[in-house]
Amino acid sequence: MHRRMAITGDDVTLDQIVPVSRDFTLEEVSSDGELYILGSDVTVQLDTAELSLIFQLPFGSHTRMFLQEVARACPGFDPATRDPEFLWLSGYQCVEPEPDSRKLRGWNFAPGTWPGYTTIGGGRYPSHKGRWGLEEPWFKGAGSILYRGGMMEQTGFRLAEMARGGGPSWGRVRGAGDGRQDEELEEARREMSAAAGSRDRVFAGGSNFDNSRSNGKSLLGDQSSGGQDKAENSLARQNKSKSEITDLVRSSTITVSDKAHILSMQKFGLRDTIVKSHLLQKEDDYTYIQNFRFFVGTYNVNGQSPKECLRPWLSHGIQAPDVYCVGFQELDLSKEAFFFHDTPKEEEWFKAVSESLHPDAKYAKVKLIRMVGIMLLLYVKQEHAAHVSEVETETVGTGIMGRMGNKGGVAIRFQLHNTSICIVNSHLAAHIEEYERRNQDYKDICSRMQFCQVDPSLPALTISKHDVILWLGDLNYRIEDLDVEKVKKLIEEKAFQTLYAYDQLKIQVAAKTVFDGYTEGELTFQPTYKYDTGSDDWDTSEKCRAPAWCDRILWKGKNITQLSYQSHMALKTSDHKPVSSEFDIGVKVVNDELYRKTLEEIVRSLDKMENANIPSVSLSKREFCFQNVKYMQLQVESFTIHNGQVPCQFEFINKPDEESYCKQWLNANPSRGFLLPDSDIEIELELFVNKTTATKLNSGEDKIEDILVLHLDRGKDYFLSVSGNYLPSCFGSPIHTLCYMRQPILDVPLETISELTLMPIQSEDDGSRLESPMEIPKELWMMVDYLYRNAIQQEDLFQQPGLRLEFEHIRDCLDTGMIDNLSASNHSVAEALLLFLESLPEPVICYSAYHSCLECSGNYTASKQVILTLPTFHKNVFNYLMAFLQELLKNSAKNHLDENILASIFGSLVLRNPAGDQKLDMTDKKKAQEFIHQFLCNTL
């Protein structure tokens, strides 16, 4: 039958479907590991004494009637009835696979259990709880477990068969004395976890299942550690009381999205999407609000290890919180943590937190996420763990070059019952004068923090797309326009509201530049920064930092009541004091009976809509022109899709023989989605040229031209035209090209730029140019000369990011040759220099010399010989950069730079892996830094 055709009495008779006999049951089932989508096909299990069979029926009232009739027709047990042979099923049976652990991947169920089911209108349909596998198991003990078999897509049946007692031993449900099967199942689970290839784990049903994903970023700072592995190994070595939390984690049924499984499934159907959309619209009809107590804490620990009990901070309340959200900043200030993203401090602070949670409750750890020194922990009470789902994590680095993870944010998003919650922990730019940089960091985190959804057909979730947002961290906003003594005097007088008027965060929020729509409680405690470590005394160091409320907690959403907001002076480990806030947050909890009724109403209405008209939409615009596109400067054009009277699903699709629906410099947001009748959606076309795409646009090999195909499911295609012009830039241009350009690149004819860009590197010295080339690119000289004259003693040079607007100004000055107009901070020029080196299509040390450099790392004589083999312009640039860096090191007493810092920063830019975006082996990374280190410590 057609997979979407409803079953009616005219189609089949019961004896054509199954022979009814003794020992026969027909039940609807679902698997713990298989995501249940409302409106999807109904999975049915047929059990007899001889076999167990799984197949699928269309979701609708006719299927429900069919299941009722089968149940009614069952004759019950009759000893005289002969066992059926089911010969007619041979055409549907799949070949029994080998006992390979890989066959388990589609199911992910806890040993010995099947998820629950409930009755809807007399038939068997999953309840709201059942779809997450939260109800009591209905089948335990001896018997068979289902593995995934063949799929009969044409018929709509998916069959998997096991003969009772005759299947392979790994496919049996665990029973008494079945130890070998247990071991094989556990081995299969370990294989699945290892295959996913990530350390960032959550725990479900007694096993560790990996749900991490690659976020597609090649940014150095966007690497997170899910240090649970090390932390739990450590706790396991402790006594029973200290390992109690970890044991609870492993026994808790925390259900999370299994993306590896979801992506292997068929795309979700239009009917599923319609059901979900209608359920969302009617959510108030089947949910009620229940308050949960949240503890939110933030602590900048200044690179220290825990030296005191954290209970005065984490367990000061009488009532045990339902949820703990605990964030740290500056977990580790060592260079190893900064450049290699590994630190023992993660395990130490995880243990300290776990041992200091409220003693009146038992907690399960849901997630740990860390990026360099920014770490976020999420715990829930044991009894709530089963109601936590869709757990996702993300990191955004906003440090130097917009990617280093010493500054930025980490986040955990999850679903608690029917409420979506996002917790963000951020550490923004430092120094009192850098409030604009802090504003930019906040905006970067908001725009770049995107979470994958359970349904891969839906666009990624941003922070703002959650019911509840809790934002904590060292936001680093200071008190301005008051001298240090005046600030301390107001604190001594406890005139906090007078002092608060000068708070930078208050001023920026009032100007709607950051945290628009967020709320912060009244500050009734003294500033939490900066103290002498180990005391309550204000900073007595040479810098004598002014006190400030750096550590803050804000929130956004409905049904949120703040109960407390305070600092904790008893803790003296750091130069910051920890801050906490407790909230009562109203969470939407599902009433199962009302949910079933609502679902039935939606299904009934959809039955009437089957085979409706073909969808059609209207577009507000189909032609888009992007004028004067510049390097790393976003341009956005938008249009509106208006839907007609039929629900539709849209998606931008690939053109023939193309790997993506658009060119690399273009992106449609959202690129797919769903529209209810007579509704609209705005689509933004984002054009952004970066190091990957700039070179071909400079050379003319690529142009700002593209055609997008907007496809409607069950409907027609719409074609969108994109055009424009790109302004060539020194960013993304080869070194030899720039050396031959004595004029600014924007004054050079496009034909000449194209010819010089496409010229092979080795032909650079053939003397065929009309003008003699420069020894190094003039743009490189301009930036280095500016830094030599203005920033030779600048503290934190190449470690603190600049401002985006200043980078755009620097780029324009370089491309137009108007260097006299250059007016930017030292940090912005330093970052522009790093971005310039990163954008070179062929790095300073050519790709061909990469492996030779690694091989002779540690041998300075051999290393110099490798440099001598470089093309002339590349050799000149390398020597020029090394000489400049040596000048910086002569002023290390002022700028606090050392050889290790500079080798780490420039090693990854000057000496790049030919494999491109492939993750660098840690050994190779250290060798590359050692290679550069030699030239910083020795005479050139």
Side-chain angles (χ1 to χ4, degrees), residues 140 175 338 344 369 582 658 800 842 866 930:
K140 293 184 178 180
F338 183 75
I369 179 72
E582 286 194 303
E658 294 193 8
Q800 182 173 322
E842 185 80 17
V866 175
E930 186 179 353

Side-chain angles (χ1 to χ4, degrees), residues 8-42:
T8 69
D10 298 328
D11 295 324
V12 290
T13 60
L14 292 180
D15 61 344
Q16 289 176 298
I17 300 173
V18 288
V20 179
S21 67
R22 68 168 182 160
D23 205 13
F24 164 84
T25 61
L26 187 69
E27 307 273 15
E28 190 207 345
V29 297
S30 62
S31 166
D32 280 343
E34 185 168 14
L35 184 70
Y36 175 72
I37 301 298
L38 298 172
S40 59
D41 291 345
V42 177

